[in-house]
Amino acid sequence: MSTEPPATTGVLARLGFSRTDRVQRFLEEPALAGLPSGAAEALGKTADGDDAVLGLLHLAEAAQEAGQDALLQEFLSGIGSEGTGGARLVTLLGSSVALGDFLARHPEHLDVLREGDDELVRDAAEVRAALLTAVGADPDAAVPVAAHGGREERDALRIAYHARLAQIAAADVGSADPTELQPRVSGAISDLADAALEAAAAIARATVEGHEKVRWSVIALGKTGARELNYISDVDVMHVVAPAAEHEPAGADGAGETEDAEGEEHDDDEELLRIGSALARELARACSERTAEGSLWQVDANLRPEGKDGPLVRTIASYRRYYSEWAKSWEFQALLKARAAAGDRELGVEYEHMVEPWVWQASTRDGFVEDTRAMRRRVVAHIPRAEVERNIKLGPGG
């Protein structure tokens, strides 16, 4: 390996570094000894060269401590050479402190950066299987259940998730044409979110007593439902439940629900809704709580009927009654992107088919245009005045 002498602070400044004294000192650390010629230039070209150098030093020290010297040297030797794992690594380190910290905690996962754009070409079923396996669940089981549901499985979910996210991000930030690549990036992040919801559901089942009595589907909404996620998106969901076949009460309809003449639910459903709500809460906790391995994202169920004031889970028949009698026009708009994302697939598809006619007929409702315009005015009214013209989500065109 050819090496270069330590760069002067003047050279480092011309290469784009800000805190040149610190960068010079870090590049001279023993852990980074033997960096190839051109390494400083490659680090300086990243989005934040100072962060890239600091992240690389932390990673090198962690890899050496973990006995991953050979893997580390493979990546260090590629820095400055286009198309190598080393080039992808420094580009990622200069773009994301959080993913750099993840790799420093788990240098054994450096190997996920070997493949370039091909890292995005992974079947959704493969990603799902990897995350379910990480939490000790059988990907081939009809209803996957995690090994225990405790802290070990929750950390394992975060590690598997961030390893895959590092792959996606490295392909993204290193792309010569990120605009062309973007739809594939959002699709890959969305597949990863679906897999994480599956693994979190498996953790929930391992935690909630009586889960086997409940069929449970997680419905994705918003950007999650449309498979348009970005790196910092929350995940919007709703939950559908039904009795498992062997626990279905006598006289239940096709949606697994008993009703009297007025269409009210019987007490038989109290246990179903109690267990379903516990599963939904545990899934949210498995994704959003912060552990030593960080968190994934917030799971937002506030687009459900009646929002925070409504029940966390409902049966198909309960949703049907709500949409028939009480739903507002905006609620049908919110269902435009509804998609079964995790859990009982058959139940989720039944929900999709049930709401689809309402979604496409909502524009024929009395006052639809006026309601939609009024909702838009309310949204804009809540944007701080100074942000209206530059809020790309809620402002004009958002």
Side-chain angles (χ1 to χ4, degrees):
M1 178 190 300
S2 61
T3 62
E4 59 182 3
T8 66
T9 56
V11 169
L12 293 173
R14 289 193 293 275
L15 291 176
F17 296 101
S18 299
R19 302 180 63 180
T20 55
D21 289 341
R22 190 178 76 157
V23 168
Q24 184 183 50
R25 186 171 71 254
F26 288 166
L27 289 174
E28 294 174 357
E29 287 288 329
L32 295 180
L35 279 174
S37 176
E41 181 178 1
L43 287 157
K45 287 180 178 179
T46 64
D48 190 319
D50 295 69
D51 282 348
V53 171
L54 179 59
L56 186 63
L57 177 59
H58 285 165
L59 173 59
E61 291 173 338
Q64 290 175 353
E65 185 176 343
Q68 298 285 340
D69 301 70
L71 183 60
L72 171 67
Q73 287 304 317
E74 173 191 337
F75 279 84
L76 291 184
S77 65
I79 296 176
S81 299
E82 188 174 346
T84 64
R88 286 188 286 277
L89 172 63
V90 296
T91 303
L92 180 64
L93 293 175
S95 304
S96 173
V97 172
L99 289 174
D101 290 344
F102 165 74
L103 290 172
R105 290 196 306 273
H106 299 284
E108 69 277 9
H109 285 295
L110 263 176
D111 60 358
V112 303
L113 304 182
R114 282 192 172 118
E115 299 176 19
D117 285 0
D118 289 342
E119 293 157 0
L120 293 179
V121 186
R122 289 188 66 184
D123 184 73
E126 179 188 352
V127 178
R128 174 185 179 274
L131 267 63
L132 282 171
T133 300
V135 302
D138 179 2
D140 297 323
V143 182
V145 181
H148 301 291
R151 181 54 58 85
E152 183 177 347
E153 285 75 26
R154 293 162 197 257
D155 283 345
L157 169 58
R158 284 151 178 71
I159 293 168
Y161 177 90
H162 286 111
R164 174 59 181 154
L165 191 66
Q167 279 189 317
I168 296 168
D172 185 7
V173 299
S175 173
D177 189 350
T179 302
E180 186 277 334
L181 193 68
Q182 195 284 321
R184 293 171 58 201
V185 170
S186 283
I189 295 174
S190 300
D191 287 343
L192 179 58
D194 286 0
L197 288 171
E198 286 279 18
I203 289 173
R205 294 187 191 100
T207 306
V208 175
E209 185 176 355
H211 73 86
E212 68 281 353
K213 299 178 182 180
V214 178
R215 295 173 62 202
W216 168 37
S217 181
V218 182
I219 307 298
L221 304 169
K223 286 183 288 188
T224 313
R227 303 184 75 250
E228 296 172 344
L229 286 178
N230 58 53
Y231 296 100
I232 60 172
S233 298
D234 288 348
V235 169
D236 295 311
V237 302
M238 287 199 295
H239 300 277
V240 187
V241 293
E246 60 271 28
H247 298 281
E248 193 168 315
D253 64 15
E257 183 171 356
T258 306
E259 298 182 359
D260 61 21
E262 286 74 37
E264 296 296 328
E265 296 176 17
H266 282 168
D267 290 341
D268 292 333
D269 289 310
E270 289 184 5
E271 183 181 40
L272 170 69
L273 299 179
R274 177 184 60 78
I275 295 172
S277 296
L279 288 167
R281 287 192 296 269
E282 200 59 48
L283 175 142
R285 189 176 299 117
C287 293
S288 61
E289 71 177 353
R290 183 163 292 278
T291 76
E293 293 296 338
S295 63
L296 304 188
W297 12 255
Q298 293 296 315
V299 177
D300 189 344
N302 291 334
L303 289 177
R304 67 185 186 269
E306 302 177 86
K308 293 180 180 179
D309 296 326
L312 186 55
V313 304
R314 289 178 183 259
T315 60
I316 292 285
S318 178
Y319 279 113
R320 184 183 294 115
R321 283 195 300 277
Y322 180 83
Y323 294 135
S324 298
E325 300 177 25
W326 300 293
K328 303 290 193 298
S329 294
W330 72 264
E331 294 182 90
F332 296 116
Q333 290 179 285
L335 293 174
L336 272 167
K337 302 175 182 179
R339 174 179 63 84
D344 189 305
R345 179 70 184 172
E346 183 178 339
L347 182 62
V349 170
E350 184 179 350
Y351 174 87
E352 289 178 2
H353 291 168
M354 185 267 293
V355 301
E356 186 175 14
W358 275 301
V359 171
W360 299 112
Q361 294 169 14
S363 61
T364 66
R365 291 162 58 97
D366 290 340
F368 176 82
V369 174
E370 292 78 8
D371 289 347
T372 302
R373 288 174 173 170
M375 180 186 70
R376 179 63 181 154
R377 287 193 295 270
R378 288 194 296 272
V379 169
V380 173
H382 284 85
I383 306 173
R385 185 179 300 275
E387 297 179 11
V388 171
E389 296 301 323
R390 56 189 178 87
N391 190 313
I392 62 174
K393 179 177 180 180
L394 303 178

